[in-house]
Amino acid sequence: MDEIRAHLKAFRTTDWLILIAVALVGAAVLDGIIGLIVGAIVGYLGILAWHRGAFGNRNGRKGDDPLP
């Protein structure tokens, strides 16, 4: 729980806006509070993956590493 709390404190304004938007879309699609909760969880996991670089370079290289 402390790790989740630390991640939420490190979120920027854009991260919060994305999280809220995904939660609202989830509420609209799944019709209600369950959709809101599921959307918030999916948004949180998506933002964590984005911060860890999961959606970055597709060729497996990190940042500005030179080609082998």
Side-chain angles (χ1 to χ4, degrees):
M1 189 71 178
D2 292 333
E3 186 176 339
I4 293 173
R5 200 171 287 133
H7 285 214
L8 291 175
K9 285 183 181 180
F11 274 13
R12 297 175 295 228
T13 304
T14 55
D15 297 336
W16 282 108
L17 292 174
I18 292 169
L19 181 66
I20 291 168
V22 171
L24 289 176
V25 168
V29 170
L30 296 178
D31 196 32
I33 191 73
I34 300 299
L36 188 69
I37 294 169
V38 169
I41 291 170
V42 168
Y44 172 73
L45 294 175
I47 291 170
L48 284 183
W50 179 37
H51 281 251
R52 293 183 180 173
F55 305 120
N57 296 331
R58 298 219 180 252
N59 58 4
R61 295 186 305 125
K62 292 261 186 185
D64 293 331
D65 291 343
L67 290 172

